[in-house]
Amino acid sequence: MTVPMVDLKIQYEAMKQEIDQALQTVIGSTAFILGPQGKALEQSIAAYHGVKYGVGVASGTDALHLALRAAGVGSGDEVITTPFTFIATAEAISYVGAVPVFVDIRPDTFNIDATQIEKRITKKTKAILPVHLYGHAADMKTIGEIARSSKLTVIEDCAQSFGAELGGKRTGSFGSIGCFSFFPSKNLGCYGDGGMVITDDESVAGRLMSLRNHGSKVRYYHDEVGYNSRLDEIQAAILNIKMNHIDAYNAGRRKAAAWYSKFLSRPGVVTPVELAGCKHVFHQYTIRVANRDAVKKRLDEAKISNMIYYPVPCHLQAAYRDLGMRPGSLPVAEQAAAEVLSLPMYPELTEEQVRSVADGVLKAL
Ligand SMILES: *Cc1c(COP(=O)(O)O)cnc(C)c1O
């Protein structure tokens, strides 16, 4: 049995009529940019998170970039973030001329170790940018306390955590700004690129609406140099349909994760944790194994899908060589990069499929 890392076709097949109809409606309306679909999605995603504003943008990367701009982070500022994330988190900081300051992670959740943040705060620090990696919330309680006492903005990277919770509150609603990606394989994914920023701050929302549309509030009057970064109506129409199912999708992921953990709880495998009060939404199901590269090789030979998210932490990427950070500087992140292995994960996985992947992993150990 071959099980792919993700299967986007099952979802489409299940909603084909509804989606095809919605696409026809958008095309027939010829309203392709900044129309009613986008507005409806902004409202429903803001409401889902209990915040006032949602602003659709062209990607998750743009969501982070424009959020940093709207928060007033700029040249020479420092932003504290995690080294163990997709590179876009760090890139967004670089785009605004700020410097990413990487703080090591916790070994259990793979998220930024909040207890190490304070010692890295300087006069230049403007913001903290935690990532809820793999779908597990970062320690927002501690991060919130630090941010309040040091007067820092918190911008959350929720690209992998749509629907994840901490203490009954959804990720993206803890900081001043929450950033989402609708890349096709994300928990809430569209059929191209897309993203959204959510906030309770009216002025930040206004600034975002201007930044995404060439710095313009009134057509052809430009208050600042902005960007072309809008969520198009076709993507928004698809997302409006999928929003009706997001909780079921996440429930499916959690069910598959529980099967994996049941089958893989053996010596030599570290299965994912779900800390007390947290709801993990398993964008990825990621285990740790000491001899990862050998295990991966055997899985590849046996044609069992697996991926490494991420093999090189940001601080050791060639793109960030100017920061001058050496191997050994953030040991927990580096060890994670050497040990993590992600397995197939999508809402529709069956117990039989999970069992076959898990059997393969146990054989490859
Ligand atoms: C996917 C992802 C992004 C970027 O989102 P795009 O929509 O692909 O630009 C940013 N951060 C993290 C953690 C991601 O997983």
Side-chain angles (χ1 to χ4, degrees), residues 114-156:
T115 66
Q116 294 193 49
I117 290 176
E118 247 162 349
K119 64 183 182 208
R120 303 301 306 280
I121 294 174
T122 71
K123 285 200 178 72
K124 294 179 177 171
T125 310
K126 268 281 176 63
I128 307 174
L129 206 177
V131 179
H132 309 294
L133 199 75
Y134 303 147
H136 191 294
D139 180 0
M140 296 314 293
K141 187 167 175 282
T142 309
I143 290 168
E145 284 161 7
I146 294 167
R148 265 187 300 281
S149 73
S150 299
K151 299 199 166 33
L152 302 175
T153 303
V154 175
I155 298 173
E156 297 174 65

Side-chain angles (χ1 to χ4, degrees), residues 58-62 64 85-86 88-89 131 133 157 159-160 180-183 186 193-195 283 310:
S59 69
T61 306
D62 280 7
L64 291 162
T85 178
F86 180 54
T89 314
V131 179
L133 199 75
D157 182 339
Q160 302 191 1
F180 295 86
S181 163
F182 304 130
F183 186 79
K186 298 289 159 89
D193 277 308
H283 174 61
Y310 296 92

